[in-house]
Amino acid sequence: MKLCPLLIAGMLFLGCTQRVRQNNANEVKIDTPVVATAIREDVERVIYDLNNDNRPDTITLTTPPAEGDPGLFQTITISFNGMHQQSFKAKDVWDLVDSSFLAVTKNEVPSKQVFIHKEPGQTLIFLFGYIYGAGRGEFSIIRIRDNKAKLVFDDHLDNPLQLTDFDNDGKAELLGRNEGEMYMDIDSINARIGVYFPFYIYSFKDSCIIDETMTQQYNEDNYVWAGLKYREDIKVAYPNDGSRPYIIQ
């Protein structure tokens, strides 16, 4: 399908919340921070100040999979205004940001394919892999600090749940969890029985690591605690009334 020039021009400024004064072909002055997004059939382009220099940087999502294959894009390119650009490629394929994640965590940009969180000293970009029957193929986090982008997480994480400051230090942490099996119902206790699959809290202070202290505390307060590993040998009761799970001895 061909798009008319006027429609393309309108799409390129969808979601723009800033005024731009252009004096010549090489100079653009920004009155307010830039947040804009543009979408074409095979690419999304997000324009946003990623490194707090009051100039618009550009994120471009490209390389859609073959028609009929799952996912939406496989390459992300980050272009820092007046500087360099960096590209990252998915091991598998990236897809839409989870709607459940967006329901509890604010996205800095009006995009459904890339999630951005900015805080003092760094910006985090979350990329959500396609969810297959056996779980999410890939979840990726790019951290921007000192005008450099670094892939700090690119691994298996079925359910990124929430981004919040758990330890009240001014830096957000990510709460996540992988899927676990439920294999039987016990009517006498009104609960389903399943394996042990804990929650994890990831910290971004240095790179992206599981904070064991916060992870243990969160599981003790909201789930059960039997270590960081998924355990099929531990039977956990999950009450049907939504109350706190417990280990069956």
Side-chain angles (χ1 to χ4, degrees):
M1 179 181 67
K2 294 185 178 179
L3 300 178
C4 72
L6 289 177
L7 180 57
I8 293 174
M11 292 173 69
L12 288 174
F13 288 95
L14 176 65
C16 186
T17 62
Q18 107 293 350
R19 299 188 307 276
V20 176
R21 301 195 308 274
Q22 186 161 353
N23 298 325
N24 55 57
N26 298 316
E27 182 180 0
V28 178
K29 293 184 179 180
I30 298 128
D31 293 331
T32 59
V34 176
V35 179
T37 183
I39 301 174
R40 302 197 304 267
E41 284 185 353
D42 60 349
V43 65
E44 180 179 30
R45 182 171 295 164
V46 177
I47 302 172
Y48 184 73
D49 179 15
L50 295 167
N51 54 355
N52 290 310
D53 63 356
N54 292 318
R55 296 193 296 176
D57 306 304
T58 303
I59 296 174
T60 306
L61 311 180
T62 57
T63 321
E67 185 175 354
D69 287 349
L72 295 174
F73 65 101
Q74 295 170 294
T75 302
I76 177 172
T77 300
I78 301 168
S79 302
F80 295 101
N81 193 322
M83 292 184 282
H84 57 282
Q85 70 177 28
Q86 295 176 250
S87 293
F88 302 89
K89 188 172 178 61
K91 291 185 296 188
D92 181 45
V93 65
W94 292 307
D95 200 53
L96 295 173
V97 179
D98 289 357
S99 58
S100 57
F101 187 79
L102 291 174
V104 295
T105 310
K106 180 180 180 296
N107 194 351
E108 296 288 341
V109 295
S111 171
K112 295 182 179 181
Q113 299 181 93
V114 60
F115 178 91
I116 294 178
H117 169 76
K118 182 188 282 188
E119 59 188 32
Q122 65 182 4
T123 298
L124 302 173
I125 300 173
F126 291 1
L127 303 169
F128 289 66
Y130 184 81
I131 300 177
Y132 297 92
R136 190 186 304 277
E138 180 175 15
F139 179 70
S140 310
I141 302 172
I142 297 171
R143 185 190 66 198
I144 296 173
R145 184 184 292 177
D146 299 325
N147 299 319
K148 295 180 181 179
K150 181 180 180 181
L151 187 66
V152 295
F153 187 92
D154 189 34
D155 207 343
H156 175 71
L157 185 62
D158 289 326
N159 297 306
L161 298 171
Q162 184 179 5
L163 187 66
T164 192
D165 184 3
F166 284 96
D167 57 358
N168 299 311
D169 68 344
K171 301 286 187 181
E173 289 83 33
L174 174 66
L175 176 68
R177 193 185 198 188
N178 289 315
E179 292 288 349
E181 182 184 3
M182 303 287 182
Y183 50 81
M184 65 183 299
D185 292 288
I186 299 182
D187 293 337
S188 61
I189 60 173
N190 190 29
R192 300 190 72 191
I193 306 302
V195 301
Y196 170 76
F197 55 114
F199 294 88
Y200 301 104
I201 293 180
Y202 296 87
S203 169
F204 305 99
K205 292 181 179 65
D206 296 315
S207 182
C208 177
I209 60 172
I210 295 174
D211 186 298
E212 294 191 24
T213 300
M214 283 191 286
T215 292
Q216 179 174 346
Q217 188 65 56
Y218 185 89
N219 282 284
E220 289 176 345
D221 292 342
N222 299 279
Y223 181 53
V224 298
W225 179 244
L228 293 173
K229 294 183 178 181
Y230 176 102
R231 296 275 301 273
E232 294 183 350
D233 61 319
I234 296 177
K235 294 182 179 180
V236 179
Y238 297 87
N240 292 323
D241 62 4
S243 57
R244 183 176 166 181
Y246 56 91
I247 295 175
I248 297 178
Q249 302 296 333

PDB file of all heavy atoms in Angstrom, residues 71-94:
ATOM      1  N   GLY A  71       6.670 -12.239  15.886  1.00  0.00           N
ATOM      2  CA  GLY A  71       7.436 -11.067  16.269  1.00  0.00           C
ATOM      3  C   GLY A  71       7.284  -9.919  15.294  1.00  0.00           C
ATOM      4  O   GLY A  71       6.635 -10.034  14.249  1.00  0.00           O
ATOM      5  N   LEU A  72       7.918  -8.772  15.648  1.00  0.00           N
ATOM      6  CA  LEU A  72       7.754  -7.557  14.865  1.00  0.00           C
ATOM      7  C   LEU A  72       9.043  -6.970  14.325  1.00  0.00           C
ATOM      8  O   LEU A  72       9.053  -6.366  13.260  1.00  0.00           O
ATOM      9  CB  LEU A  72       7.035  -6.494  15.709  1.00  0.00           C
ATOM     10  CG  LEU A  72       5.597  -6.834  16.105  1.00  0.00           C
ATOM     11  CD1 LEU A  72       5.060  -5.780  17.058  1.00  0.00           C
ATOM     12  CD2 LEU A  72       4.716  -6.949  14.884  1.00  0.00           C
ATOM     13  N   PHE A  73      10.156  -7.102  15.057  1.00  0.00           N
ATOM     14  CA  PHE A  73      11.413  -6.520  14.591  1.00  0.00           C
ATOM     15  C   PHE A  73      12.583  -7.254  15.232  1.00  0.00           C
ATOM     16  O   PHE A  73      12.441  -7.907  16.267  1.00  0.00           O
ATOM     17  CB  PHE A  73      11.482  -5.018  14.893  1.00  0.00           C
ATOM     18  CG  PHE A  73      11.506  -4.677  16.369  1.00  0.00           C
ATOM     19  CD1 PHE A  73      12.689  -4.351  17.007  1.00  0.00           C
ATOM     20  CD2 PHE A  73      10.334  -4.675  17.111  1.00  0.00           C
ATOM     21  CE1 PHE A  73      12.712  -4.033  18.364  1.00  0.00           C
ATOM     22  CE2 PHE A  73      10.345  -4.362  18.467  1.00  0.00           C
ATOM     23  CZ  PHE A  73      11.533  -4.035  19.085  1.00  0.00           C
ATOM     24  N   GLN A  74      13.751  -7.118  14.620  1.00  0.00           N
ATOM     25  CA  GLN A  74      14.926  -7.849  15.095  1.00  0.00           C
ATOM     26  C   GLN A  74      16.151  -6.968  15.323  1.00  0.00           C
ATOM     27  O   GLN A  74      17.152  -7.445  15.840  1.00  0.00           O
ATOM     28  CB  GLN A  74      15.274  -8.959  14.091  1.00  0.00           C
ATOM     29  CG  GLN A  74      14.208 -10.037  13.987  1.00  0.00           C
ATOM     30  CD  GLN A  74      14.458 -10.989  12.833  1.00  0.00           C
ATOM     31  OE1 GLN A  74      14.408 -10.619  11.669  1.00  0.00           O
ATOM     32  NE2 GLN A  74      14.744 -12.239  13.159  1.00  0.00           N
ATOM     33  N   THR A  75      16.079  -5.703  14.933  1.00  0.00           N
ATOM     34  CA  THR A  75      17.223  -4.803  15.096  1.00  0.00           C
ATOM     35  C   THR A  75      16.763  -3.484  15.692  1.00  0.00           C
ATOM     36  O   THR A  75      15.717  -2.947  15.307  1.00  0.00           O
ATOM     37  CB  THR A  75      17.910  -4.532  13.749  1.00  0.00           C
ATOM     38  OG1 THR A  75      18.329  -5.762  13.170  1.00  0.00           O
ATOM     39  CG2 THR A  75      19.135  -3.636  13.928  1.00  0.00           C
ATOM     40  N   ILE A  76      17.545  -2.969  16.635  1.00  0.00           N
ATOM     41  CA  ILE A  76      17.324  -1.635  17.184  1.00  0.00           C
ATOM     42  C   ILE A  76      18.594  -0.828  16.973  1.00  0.00           C
ATOM     43  O   ILE A  76      19.696  -1.307  17.263  1.00  0.00           O
ATOM     44  CB  ILE A  76      16.936  -1.673  18.677  1.00  0.00           C
ATOM     45  CG1 ILE A  76      16.787  -0.244  19.235  1.00  0.00           C
ATOM     46  CG2 ILE A  76      17.907  -2.491  19.517  1.00  0.00           C
ATOM     47  CD1 ILE A  76      16.222  -0.199  20.652  1.00  0.00           C
ATOM     48  N   THR A  77      18.457   0.378  16.445  1.00  0.00           N
ATOM     49  CA  THR A  77      19.582   1.278  16.244  1.00  0.00           C
ATOM     50  C   THR A  77      19.345   2.553  17.041  1.00  0.00           C
ATOM     51  O   THR A  77      18.273   3.172  16.922  1.00  0.00           O
ATOM     52  CB  THR A  77      19.768   1.625  14.756  1.00  0.00           C
ATOM     53  OG1 THR A  77      20.015   0.420  14.028  1.00  0.00           O
ATOM     54  CG2 THR A  77      20.952   2.571  14.562  1.00  0.00           C
ATOM     55  N   ILE A  78      20.325   2.922  17.853  1.00  0.00           N
ATOM     56  CA  ILE A  78      20.244   4.118  18.690  1.00  0.00           C
ATOM     57  C   ILE A  78      21.211   5.146  18.132  1.00  0.00           C
ATOM     58  O   ILE A  78      22.423   4.890  18.057  1.00  0.00           O
ATOM     59  CB  ILE A  78      20.582   3.791  20.154  1.00  0.00           C
ATOM     60  CG1 ILE A  78      19.611   2.731  20.691  1.00  0.00           C
ATOM     61  CG2 ILE A  78      20.557   5.041  21.016  1.00  0.00           C
ATOM     62  CD1 ILE A  78      20.029   2.135  22.007  1.00  0.00           C
ATOM     63  N   SER A  79      20.690   6.298  17.731  1.00  0.00           N
ATOM     64  CA  SER A  79      21.513   7.368  17.155  1.00  0.00           C
ATOM     65  C   SER A  79      21.514   8.558  18.102  1.00  0.00           C
ATOM     66  O   SER A  79      20.469   9.176  18.344  1.00  0.00           O
ATOM     67  CB  SER A  79      20.965   7.786  15.784  1.00  0.00           C
ATOM     68  OG  SER A  79      20.921   6.697  14.898  1.00  0.00           O
ATOM     69  N   PHE A  80      22.692   8.868  18.657  1.00  0.00           N
ATOM     70  CA  PHE A  80      22.833  10.011  19.537  1.00  0.00           C
ATOM     71  C   PHE A  80      23.082  11.260  18.692  1.00  0.00           C
ATOM     72  O   PHE A  80      24.011  11.295  17.885  1.00  0.00           O
ATOM     73  CB  PHE A  80      23.985   9.798  20.521  1.00  0.00           C
ATOM     74  CG  PHE A  80      23.746   8.668  21.481  1.00  0.00           C
ATOM     75  CD1 PHE A  80      24.337   7.430  21.274  1.00  0.00           C
ATOM     76  CD2 PHE A  80      22.921   8.830  22.577  1.00  0.00           C
ATOM     77  CE1 PHE A  80      24.121   6.377  22.154  1.00  0.00           C
ATOM     78  CE2 PHE A  80      22.697   7.783  23.463  1.00  0.00           C
ATOM     79  CZ  PHE A  80      23.303   6.553  23.251  1.00  0.00           C
ATOM     80  N   ASN A  81      22.273  12.264  18.894  1.00  0.00           N
ATOM     81  CA  ASN A  81      22.313  13.475  18.077  1.00  0.00           C
ATOM     82  C   ASN A  81      23.700  14.106  18.085  1.00  0.00           C
ATOM     83  O   ASN A  81      24.247  14.439  19.130  1.00  0.00           O
ATOM     84  CB  ASN A  81      21.289  14.488  18.613  1.00  0.00           C
ATOM     85  CG  ASN A  81      21.050  15.635  17.652  1.00  0.00           C
ATOM     86  OD1 ASN A  81      21.958  16.135  17.001  1.00  0.00           O
ATOM     87  ND2 ASN A  81      19.807  16.070  17.580  1.00  0.00           N
ATOM     88  N   GLY A  82      24.292  14.265  16.880  1.00  0.00           N
ATOM     89  CA  GLY A  82      25.592  14.890  16.747  1.00  0.00           C
ATOM     90  C   GLY A  82      26.752  14.009  17.143  1.00  0.00           C
ATOM     91  O   GLY A  82      27.906  14.448  17.126  1.00  0.00           O
ATOM     92  N   MET A  83      26.473  12.750  17.479  1.00  0.00           N
ATOM     93  CA  MET A  83      27.546  11.849  17.904  1.00  0.00           C
ATOM     94  C   MET A  83      27.491  10.568  17.084  1.00  0.00           C
ATOM     95  O   MET A  83      27.466  10.611  15.865  1.00  0.00           O
ATOM     96  CB  MET A  83      27.456  11.587  19.409  1.00  0.00           C
ATOM     97  CG  MET A  83      27.778  12.827  20.260  1.00  0.00           C
ATOM     98  SD  MET A  83      27.774  12.496  22.044  1.00  0.00           S
ATOM     99  CE  MET A  83      26.017  12.468  22.354  1.00  0.00           C
ATOM    100  N   HIS A  84      27.457   9.428  17.743  1.00  0.00           N
ATOM    101  CA  HIS A  84      27.562   8.142  17.076  1.00  0.00           C
ATOM    102  C   HIS A  84      26.229   7.405  17.141  1.00  0.00           C
ATOM    103  O   HIS A  84      25.267   7.882  17.741  1.00  0.00           O
ATOM    104  CB  HIS A  84      28.639   7.298  17.771  1.00  0.00           C
ATOM    105  CG  HIS A  84      28.359   7.099  19.231  1.00  0.00           C
ATOM    106  ND1 HIS A  84      28.600   8.071  20.167  1.00  0.00           N
ATOM    107  CD2 HIS A  84      27.826   6.045  19.907  1.00  0.00           C
ATOM    108  CE1 HIS A  84      28.233   7.627  21.371  1.00  0.00           C
ATOM    109  NE2 HIS A  84      27.762   6.407  21.240  1.00  0.00           N
ATOM    110  N   GLN A  85      26.188   6.229  16.516  1.00  0.00           N
ATOM    111  CA  GLN A  85      25.038   5.360  16.629  1.00  0.00           C
ATOM    112  C   GLN A  85      25.490   3.945  16.949  1.00  0.00           C
ATOM    113  O   GLN A  85      26.602   3.542  16.624  1.00  0.00           O
ATOM    114  CB  GLN A  85      24.186   5.378  15.358  1.00  0.00           C
ATOM    115  CG  GLN A  85      24.810   4.727  14.149  1.00  0.00           C
ATOM    116  CD  GLN A  85      23.853   4.737  12.952  1.00  0.00           C
ATOM    117  OE1 GLN A  85      23.000   5.619  12.823  1.00  0.00           O
ATOM    118  NE2 GLN A  85      23.992   3.750  12.086  1.00  0.00           N
ATOM    119  N   GLN A  86      24.612   3.192  17.608  1.00  0.00           N
ATOM    120  CA  GLN A  86      24.890   1.811  17.983  1.00  0.00           C
ATOM    121  C   GLN A  86      23.688   0.956  17.630  1.00  0.00           C
ATOM    122  O   GLN A  86      22.540   1.386  17.800  1.00  0.00           O
ATOM    123  CB  GLN A  86      25.181   1.704  19.485  1.00  0.00           C
ATOM    124  CG  GLN A  86      26.447   2.430  19.936  1.00  0.00           C
ATOM    125  CD  GLN A  86      26.617   2.358  21.450  1.00  0.00           C
ATOM    126  OE1 GLN A  86      26.469   3.363  22.153  1.00  0.00           O
ATOM    127  NE2 GLN A  86      26.941   1.174  21.957  1.00  0.00           N
ATOM    128  N   SER A  87      23.950  -0.261  17.166  1.00  0.00           N
ATOM    129  CA  SER A  87      22.881  -1.177  16.790  1.00  0.00           C
ATOM    130  C   SER A  87      22.989  -2.476  17.580  1.00  0.00           C
ATOM    131  O   SER A  87      24.086  -2.933  17.914  1.00  0.00           O
ATOM    132  CB  SER A  87      22.923  -1.487  15.288  1.00  0.00           C
ATOM    133  OG  SER A  87      22.625  -0.345  14.524  1.00  0.00           O
ATOM    134  N   PHE A  88      21.837  -3.063  17.873  1.00  0.00           N
ATOM    135  CA  PHE A  88      21.758  -4.340  18.575  1.00  0.00           C
ATOM    136  C   PHE A  88      20.760  -5.219  17.842  1.00  0.00           C
ATOM    137  O   PHE A  88      19.716  -4.747  17.387  1.00  0.00           O
ATOM    138  CB  PHE A  88      21.311  -4.139  20.022  1.00  0.00           C
ATOM    139  CG  PHE A  88      22.210  -3.225  20.816  1.00  0.00           C
ATOM    140  CD1 PHE A  88      21.979  -1.853  20.827  1.00  0.00           C
ATOM    141  CD2 PHE A  88      23.283  -3.727  21.529  1.00  0.00           C
ATOM    142  CE1 PHE A  88      22.802  -1.004  21.551  1.00  0.00           C
ATOM    143  CE2 PHE A  88      24.115  -2.878  22.252  1.00  0.00           C
ATOM    144  CZ  PHE A  88      23.876  -1.515  22.260  1.00  0.00           C
ATOM    145  N   LYS A  89      21.073  -6.514  17.751  1.00  0.00           N
ATOM    146  CA  LYS A  89      20.221  -7.460  17.028  1.00  0.00           C
ATOM    147  C   LYS A  89      19.717  -8.530  17.987  1.00  0.00           C
ATOM    148  O   LYS A  89      20.472  -9.043  18.828  1.00  0.00           O
ATOM    149  CB  LYS A  89      20.993  -8.110  15.874  1.00  0.00           C
ATOM    150  CG  LYS A  89      20.128  -8.962  14.954  1.00  0.00           C
ATOM    151  CD  LYS A  89      20.894  -9.403  13.734  1.00  0.00           C
ATOM    152  CE  LYS A  89      20.043 -10.294  12.827  1.00  0.00           C
ATOM    153  NZ  LYS A  89      18.843  -9.604  12.333  1.00  0.00           N
ATOM    154  N   ALA A  90      18.456  -8.870  17.855  1.00  0.00           N
ATOM    155  CA  ALA A  90      17.854  -9.891  18.703  1.00  0.00           C
ATOM    156  C   ALA A  90      18.440 -11.263  18.405  1.00  0.00           C
ATOM    157  O   ALA A  90      18.769 -11.579  17.260  1.00  0.00           O
ATOM    158  CB  ALA A  90      16.344  -9.919  18.487  1.00  0.00           C
ATOM    159  N   LYS A  91      18.571 -12.093  19.426  1.00  0.00           N
ATOM    160  CA  LYS A  91      18.933 -13.487  19.219  1.00  0.00           C
ATOM    161  C   LYS A  91      17.785 -14.215  18.522  1.00  0.00           C
ATOM    162  O   LYS A  91      18.009 -15.118  17.722  1.00  0.00           O
ATOM    163  CB  LYS A  91      19.234 -14.159  20.567  1.00  0.00           C
ATOM    164  CG  LYS A  91      20.504 -13.677  21.236  1.00  0.00           C
ATOM    165  CD  LYS A  91      20.824 -14.460  22.491  1.00  0.00           C
ATOM    166  CE  LYS A  91      19.785 -14.276  23.566  1.00  0.00           C
ATOM    167  NZ  LYS A  91      20.191 -14.902  24.861  1.00  0.00           N
ATOM    168  N   ASP A  92      16.563 -13.779  18.836  1.00  0.00           N
ATOM    169  CA  ASP A  92      15.374 -14.372  18.229  1.00  0.00           C
ATOM    170  C   ASP A  92      14.573 -13.261  17.545  1.00  0.00           C
ATOM    171  O   ASP A  92      14.836 -12.908  16.412  1.00  0.00           O
ATOM    172  CB  ASP A  92      14.552 -15.079  19.305  1.00  0.00           C
ATOM    173  CG  ASP A  92      13.310 -15.738  18.749  1.00  0.00           C
ATOM    174  OD1 ASP A  92      13.412 -16.394  17.697  1.00  0.00           O
ATOM    175  OD2 ASP A  92      12.229 -15.597  19.360  1.00  0.00           O
ATOM    176  N   VAL A  93      13.610 -12.681  18.258  1.00  0.00           N
ATOM    177  CA  VAL A  93      12.810 -11.588  17.681  1.00  0.00           C
ATOM    178  C   VAL A  93      12.126 -10.837  18.818  1.00  0.00           C
ATOM    179  O   VAL A  93      11.793 -11.413  19.858  1.00  0.00           O
ATOM    180  CB  VAL A  93      11.765 -12.144  16.682  1.00  0.00           C
ATOM    181  CG1 VAL A  93      10.737 -13.019  17.372  1.00  0.00           C
ATOM    182  CG2 VAL A  93      11.107 -11.015  15.887  1.00  0.00           C
ATOM    183  N   TRP A  94      11.953  -9.522  18.638  1.00  0.00           N
ATOM    184  CA  TRP A  94      11.251  -8.701  19.625  1.00  0.00           C
ATOM    185  C   TRP A  94       9.838  -8.413  19.167  1.00  0.00           C
ATOM    186  O   TRP A  94       9.540  -8.418  17.974  1.00  0.00           O
ATOM    187  CB  TRP A  94      12.010  -7.398  19.875  1.00  0.00           C
ATOM    188  CG  TRP A  94      13.315  -7.598  20.577  1.00  0.00           C
ATOM    189  CD1 TRP A  94      13.526  -8.270  21.742  1.00  0.00           C
ATOM    190  CD2 TRP A  94      14.602  -7.115  20.167  1.00  0.00           C
ATOM    191  NE1 TRP A  94      14.866  -8.239  22.087  1.00  0.00           N
ATOM    192  CE2 TRP A  94      15.550  -7.527  21.132  1.00  0.00           C
ATOM    193  CE3 TRP A  94      15.046  -6.359  19.078  1.00  0.00           C
ATOM    194  CZ2 TRP A  94      16.901  -7.219  21.041  1.00  0.00           C
ATOM    195  CZ3 TRP A  94      16.392  -6.055  18.978  1.00  0.00           C
ATOM    196  CH2 TRP A  94      17.319  -6.478  19.955  1.00  0.00           C
TER     197      TRP A  94
END
